Amino acid sequence: MSRTFRIEPFWRVILREFDVSAESLARRAGLAGHHFANDPIMVDVGEWAALWDALDAEVDEADLALQLGRYLTLDMFDPAVLAAFCSANLRQAATRLQLHKRLVGPCRLLVEEDRGLTISCEVVGLPMPPRLWGAGDLVSWVALARHTTQRRVVPVRVTMPVEVNGRSELGSYFGVPVTHG
């Protein structure tokens, strides 16, 4: 039996902000139309990926990942986001999120300090992460870094294992090109 987990509260914010019907999204993802009526909303890794792919298809906008990054705010009342925003620095925020991510989903966050801070994430149970999730997660990390430092943090490098929509827009946002690898 596959591990299930509660999806994060920001899904309800996303659905409202993009005027997406929860029933339509659930059906597009191959779930029961009433899936979002459940509390808590539980999914396995395959359903989680299907929801991200369904959102990408439902909204169908090249800059969707950038738009999603704008919704990483304290208004979501997500304990992990709150802990990250209350961190003294990005390293501490990453360490706090590293603990939280493995509790609520299929994501394993890797935080390395060598010649700077490297943050990477892999999805346990999938050979490749959903394209929109990958791009949105990167945008969220840069948004978090910029918010917590009050500076325009520019990553040294941004690499994604999948091709993404809006690559040039993402590159402009990050301040460096997005590479595939």
Side-chain angles (χ1 to χ4, degrees):
M1 182 178 190
S2 152
R3 179 177 165 242
T4 60
F5 51 90
R6 184 181 187 151
I7 65 169
E8 292 126 347
F10 71 81
W11 275 96
R12 294 192 195 278
V13 173
I14 290 168
L15 294 176
R16 184 181 61 245
E17 292 298 325
F18 289 98
D19 197 27
V20 172
S21 157
E23 293 163 5
S24 174
L25 183 72
R27 280 195 294 277
R28 188 183 282 262
L31 302 171
H34 66 277
H35 199 79
F36 277 88
N38 298 331
D39 191 18
I41 303 167
M42 303 297 289
V43 294
D44 64 26
V45 67
E47 293 165 337
W48 175 84
L51 282 170
W52 280 105
D53 291 341
L55 180 63
D56 200 5
E58 192 80 15
V59 177
D60 193 29
E61 293 182 19
D63 69 340
L64 181 55
L66 288 172
Q67 293 180 57
L68 289 173
R70 293 186 195 130
Y71 296 110
L72 178 71
T73 67
L74 291 174
D75 298 338
M76 294 181 347
F77 297 109
D78 182 288
V81 173
L82 182 60
F85 275 121
C86 293
S87 299
N89 55 51
L90 186 58
R91 181 186 44 74
Q92 186 181 55
T95 302
R96 288 177 174 179
L97 285 171
Q98 184 179 37
L99 296 171
H100 178 76
K101 276 195 179 265
R102 69 177 179 215
L103 297 174
V104 298
C107 307
R108 191 171 87 192
L109 189 63
L110 308 168
V111 180
E112 300 172 23
E113 288 185 79
D114 188 12
R115 289 178 290 165
L117 182 64
T118 300
I119 300 169
S120 57
C121 196
E122 62 183 26
V123 178
V124 178
L126 293 177
M128 210 47 76
R131 178 178 58 190
L132 177 60
W133 174 83
D137 202 51
L138 290 170
V139 170
S140 295
W141 276 107
V142 172
L144 176 64
R146 290 174 179 171
H147 179 81
T148 57
T149 63
Q150 296 295 302
R151 300 188 191 295
R152 188 175 190 287
V153 173
V154 177
V156 173
R157 180 177 59 247
V158 175
T159 305
M160 290 198 55
V162 294
E163 288 295 332
V164 294
N165 293 332
R167 193 176 189 158
S168 63
E169 291 92 343
L170 286 167
S172 293
Y173 174 77
F174 295 132
V176 296
V178 176
T179 58
H180 179 242

